[in-house]
Amino acid sequence: MARGDGRSGAPRKRRRLSRSGEFDRVYREGRSHASRYLVVYAFPRASDRTEPRLGISVGRKVGGAVDRNRVKRLLRESFWKAAADLPEGHDFVIVARPDAGRLAAEQGEEGISRALGEVLREAGLAKGGEA
């Protein structure tokens, strides 16, 4: 069994959305908040008050496979840096819009992190400060 964090013998709770049903529930029942670069869907899990879970969707309009994978990596890194300021027990799906690929190429992690922080704050999901 995988340890998750490599430090202890206990497996770490899964922090990702991976099944299409999980994505569908967040899309259907969650609230969406958009910016030029990203759309963030947030759905509170009723019975679970643990750390947030994340799903990412990056379509082909963002760029080729290398570009899409870079955007996904930058979004994951930015999201988990901001996770302490996010509400517990929520599922999040981040959808990258086509301009997100250009933002990642021009400004890298700083640009993606700023764009994510802005949309989370505007949605009232993140506490002050930069995400």
Side-chain angles (χ1 to χ4, degrees):
M1 179 173 261
R3 293 178 195 218
D5 65 2
R7 286 182 256 160
S8 67
R12 193 165 101 196
K13 180 151 174 66
R14 189 170 58 94
R15 302 188 316 168
R16 293 187 343 197
L17 302 178
S18 58
R19 295 183 174 88
S20 64
E22 294 171 331
F23 277 81
D24 289 343
R25 187 191 67 225
V26 176
Y27 288 137
R28 255 191 342 269
E29 300 177 28
R31 296 184 61 202
S32 66
H33 309 278
S35 72
R36 174 180 174 186
Y37 303 106
L38 304 169
V39 180
V40 174
Y41 293 85
F43 174 72
R45 295 186 308 271
S47 62
D48 191 359
R49 301 309 305 169
T50 59
E51 65 186 352
R53 296 190 307 171
L54 173 65
I56 295 177
S57 176
V58 180
R60 291 178 60 193
K61 289 185 179 181
V62 171
V66 172
D67 299 324
R68 292 193 309 271
N69 286 329
R70 180 166 193 252
V71 169
K72 284 189 275 191
R73 179 177 52 81
L74 294 174
L75 282 169
R76 272 193 301 273
E77 291 172 1
S78 297
F79 180 85
W80 291 117
K81 284 180 183 176
D85 292 334
L86 297 175
E88 294 178 341
H90 276 64
D91 287 342
F92 292 90
V93 173
I94 301 173
V95 179
R97 289 184 159 175
D99 285 343
R102 191 170 329 120
L103 179 67
E106 293 173 1
Q107 298 181 24
E109 183 178 356
E110 182 180 318
I112 293 291
S113 185
R114 186 172 44 252
L116 179 60
E118 287 171 5
V119 74
L120 289 172
R121 281 189 301 279
E122 288 173 11
L125 295 167
K127 302 166 192 148
E130 179 143 347

